[in-house]
Structure formats: C-alpha cells, structure tokens
C-alpha cells in the first residue's frame, strides 16, 4: 500500500516510475529472503539488497541508492542516515570470491606498519571496520589470544595475535606517500586507549580521541587497495571468515547447512552481520573445490 501511495504522491517521469517498479520488485524479493519488511530494515539489509541488484558499478549503485533512499524517507525508516558513499564503494569493490586466510597472511607483508597488517587480519577474523575503530587495548588479551567485543569474544591464532601485539607496541606510524611530503612518520600519543591511534593534533585532543568513522573507512579502503589480492574488500574478508566457520561447524557436526541454516548460524553462533546468501554460495563452492 505504501508503494502505491508513494508512486501516486510523487511527481516523476515515466522512466523514473519504471525504475521504481523494478526497485519495488527487488525490495519484495529481498523482504521474502530475509523475512523482514522494509520498514524494519537496518543498514546491512539495505546494502545486501543493493549488492544483489545485478551491478557492482558505483555509479549504477548510487542511482539505485538514490531511489531507495527517497522511499525510505517516505516510509519513515531513518536507516538511510547510516549509509554513505564509502558503503556504496564497498559494494563496488566486493566480489563473490573466497579469500583464503593464508593468502591474506602472505599479502600483509607489504606493510611497514604492524597496525596495517593487524587491521587486515582482524577483518579476516570477522571483526568489522567500525569494531576495529572502537577497539581499545584493554579489550585485547594477548596472553589468552582473545579480543573482547561488545557482543562476542574473538579467539585469534598465534600468528595474528603476535601481529596485534606488535601493533599495540608501535609508537608511531610510517606514512605511505608516493611523492615526497613534509613528513612521512608521526608519533602516537601513547596515552590513547584506542588500538588504532590518531595522529596528534588539536582537533583530536592531541591524539587521545578515536578516529572518525569516515576516516577509518577511508584508511581501510586505501590499505586494501595497496594489497595484491584479487577482490579484496572488508566485505569479502568478513564473508571469507564466515565461510571458514560454517565449514568448520559442518565438519564437526557432520551436517551440511541449508541457506536458512547458514543465516541462523551467522546470526546466533557468529553474531555478526554479513550477507548469508553469499556465504552460503561461497561455502558450497569451497566444499566442491575441496572435494566435498
């Protein structure tokens, strides 16, 4: 009913109306897939739908997001405030490719700073960029190899925790610059409680404040672009982690999870947000490549 009223209330060209007809069909498909009405959608629901519209090009995604955003505003779902261009760029960079952990381990050697290596490895362990941004050193138990997040505890392997430990002990950051600049290294304020520390200046309380959300996203995107790994993105890294965990569960239980069971496992066991359908597809592809 809302969709009919929306089309009736809004003045638009015939081509725009056809675009909305197509959009509403995709919304209905996604509502049925995740069993949630669009009025209840969160950020991940919106991004998943946009990622499954058939195009990964930023400009095309941006147009579809513009249409969806206007409809979200119309129905009073304020989730549109949480989505920005970095999220749309993430869709463009993501691919349906499983990235093995070993490939990431080899690729992070390109970085001089352990913090850059640690960020990528934490993403591959299912910790999202926003969680890394807010992570504090007191929540990292190096001895027990545990990271305590708001809604779960992540156990790391010895190699990754060793990188994380070295990142904690770094006293500054060597900047990657193609051209000569006034500086290529800056020191941290070691009194900062954050794992990822700011460069000291008057705008961030002399380096004590955490990084801003968009600054963290920009840093992660630039870091991943330096890596020689096909299809690497925060999304592909986190989904690859989910694939590993699903396969591990299947091997331990002797069960082969269906699409809905994969969704339940991600929601209840992993307690993370990622595209369960993509996880399901990549899980099956991995099983086939491993011979079952």
């Amino acid at each position: 009913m809302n969709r009919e009223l929306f089309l009736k209330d809004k003045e638009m060209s015939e081509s725009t109306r056809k675009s909305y007809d197509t959009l509403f069909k995709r919304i209905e498909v996604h509502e049925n897939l995740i069993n949630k009405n669009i009025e209840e959608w969160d950020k991940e629901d919106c991004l998943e739908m946009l990622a499954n519209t058939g195009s990964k090009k930023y400009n095309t995604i941006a147009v579809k997001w513009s249409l969806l955003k206007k409809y979200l505003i119309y129905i009073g779902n304020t989730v549109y405030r949480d989505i920005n261009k970095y999220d749309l760029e993430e869709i463009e960079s993501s691919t349906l490719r499983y990235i093995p952990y070993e490939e990431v381990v080899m690729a992070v050697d390109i970085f001089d700073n352990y913090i850059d290596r640690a960020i990528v490895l934490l993403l591959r362990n299912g910790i999202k960029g926003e969680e890394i941004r807010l992570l504090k050193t007191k929540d990292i138990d190096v001895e027990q190899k545990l990271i305590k997040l708001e809604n779960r505890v992540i156990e790391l392997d010895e190699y990754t925790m060793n990188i994380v430990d070295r990142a904690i002990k770094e006293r500054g950051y060597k900047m990657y610059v193609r051209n000569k600049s006034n500086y290529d290294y800056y020191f941290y304020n070691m009194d900062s409680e954050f794992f990822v520390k700011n460069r000291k200046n008057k705008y961030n309380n002399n380096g004590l404040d955490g990084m801003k959300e968009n600054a963290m996203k920009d840093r992660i995107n630039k870091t991943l672009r330096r890596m020689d790994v096909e299809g690497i993105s925060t999304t592909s890294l986190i989904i690859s982690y989910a694939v590993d965990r699903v396969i591990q569960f299947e091997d331990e239980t002797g069960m082969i999870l269906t699409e809905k069971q994969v969704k339940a496992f991600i929601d209840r066991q992993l307690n993370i947000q990622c595209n369960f359908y993509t996880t399901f597809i990549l899980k099956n592809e991995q099983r086939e490549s491993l011979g079952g």
Side-chain angles (χ1 to χ4, degrees):
M1 187 63 178
N2 278 331
R3 293 161 201 180
E4 295 175 2
L5 290 174
F6 175 81
L7 293 174
K8 184 178 180 181
D9 290 347
K10 299 291 182 179
E11 292 186 7
M12 61 184 73
S13 66
E14 187 60 30
S15 61
T16 302
R17 189 173 297 275
K18 289 181 179 179
S19 296
Y20 269 112
D21 286 337
T22 301
L23 178 69
F24 289 152
K25 289 177 182 177
R26 294 189 180 278
I27 289 173
E28 186 176 354
V29 169
H30 200 62
E31 284 177 325
N32 292 332
L33 184 64
I34 65 176
N35 197 28
K36 286 170 66 177
N37 293 327
I38 189 172
E39 287 81 3
E40 303 170 339
W41 283 9
D42 58 21
K43 177 178 178 177
E44 294 298 324
D45 298 326
C46 294
L47 294 178
E48 278 187 15
M49 195 219 74
L50 290 170
N52 292 326
T53 55
S55 174
K56 297 288 186 183
K57 297 296 183 182
Y58 173 81
N59 290 339
T60 303
I61 294 168
V63 170
K64 293 176 181 178
W65 167 237
S66 177
L67 297 172
L68 177 59
K69 180 179 178 179
K70 290 176 182 177
Y71 184 64
L72 290 169
I73 294 172
Y74 181 80
I75 62 177
N77 187 337
T78 58
V79 68
Y80 66 89
R81 298 172 182 169
D82 301 327
I83 298 174
N84 55 41
K85 70 172 185 177
Y86 295 100
D87 299 310
L88 304 185
E89 289 173 350
E90 177 71 15
I91 294 174
E92 181 182 48
S93 64
S94 66
T95 63
L96 296 180
R97 178 177 180 260
Y98 168 81
I99 301 178
Y101 178 75
E102 294 76 12
E103 187 173 347
V104 176
V105 168
M106 295 294 291
V108 295
D109 280 346
I110 190 177
F111 300 118
D112 294 323
N113 303 289
Y114 283 104
I115 187 64
D116 290 332
R117 302 185 190 192
I119 287 172
V120 178
L121 290 167
L122 291 180
L123 289 168
R124 186 54 179 78
N125 278 271
I127 304 178
K128 304 197 84 169
E130 179 66 2
E131 293 175 316
I132 298 173
R133 180 179 78 87
L134 299 174
L135 183 64
K136 298 178 180 178
T137 54
K138 68 180 179 64
D139 298 320
I140 302 173
D141 188 331
V142 174
E143 191 171 318
Q144 297 296 320
K145 303 183 185 68
L146 299 176
I147 290 185
K148 299 173 184 176
L149 301 174
E150 184 178 354
N151 63 345
R152 66 196 188 281
V153 176
I154 300 291
E155 182 176 356
L156 300 180
D157 64 280
E158 186 171 352
Y159 172 80
T160 298
M161 184 51 81
N162 181 53
I163 296 295
V164 169
D165 186 33
R166 292 190 179 199
I168 292 173
K169 294 173 181 175
E170 282 183 325
R171 304 191 65 82
Y173 187 81
K174 184 177 181 180
M175 299 181 65
Y176 174 73
V177 287
R178 285 191 174 88
N179 302 314
K180 183 68 176 176
S181 64
N182 293 330
Y183 55 86
D184 61 5
Y185 189 91
Y186 60 82
F187 290 97
Y188 298 134
N189 185 336
M190 295 304 289
D191 289 330
S192 170
E193 61 183 342
F194 291 95
F195 175 61
V196 181
K197 295 176 175 60
N198 261 321
R199 178 163 61 92
K200 294 184 287 185
N201 61 48
K202 64 181 180 180
Y203 302 107
N204 57 33
N205 194 19
N206 196 34
L208 292 177
D209 294 342
M211 294 189 71
K212 299 295 185 182
E213 181 179 357
N214 285 345
M216 185 66 184
K217 288 181 178 179
D218 186 57
R219 176 165 173 175
I220 289 174
N221 288 338
K222 287 179 179 177
T223 299
L224 296 181
R225 281 198 291 270
R226 288 185 58 199
M227 298 179 66
D228 186 23
V229 177
E230 179 188 351
I232 194 168
S233 67
T234 59
T235 299
S236 60
L237 289 170
I238 290 170
I239 285 180
S240 296
Y241 164 79
V243 169
D244 285 348
R245 292 295 305 274
V246 171
I247 290 176
Q248 179 186 9
F249 177 80
E250 291 181 337
D251 289 344
E252 291 173 350
T253 62
M255 298 172 55
I256 299 297
L257 301 187
T258 65
E259 181 181 331
K260 288 185 177 180
Q261 288 172 328
V262 167
K263 177 176 176 8
F265 181 81
I266 290 173
D267 291 342
R268 299 170 189 171
Q269 301 296 321
L270 302 186
N271 204 9
I272 64 175
Q273 290 184 321
C274 70
N275 190 313
F276 68 90
Y277 179 72
T278 302
T279 303
F280 173 73
I281 295 298
L282 291 181
K283 181 266 295 188
N284 288 342
E285 288 180 359
Q286 273 302 104
R287 282 224 166 273
E288 185 174 349
S289 69
L290 295 172

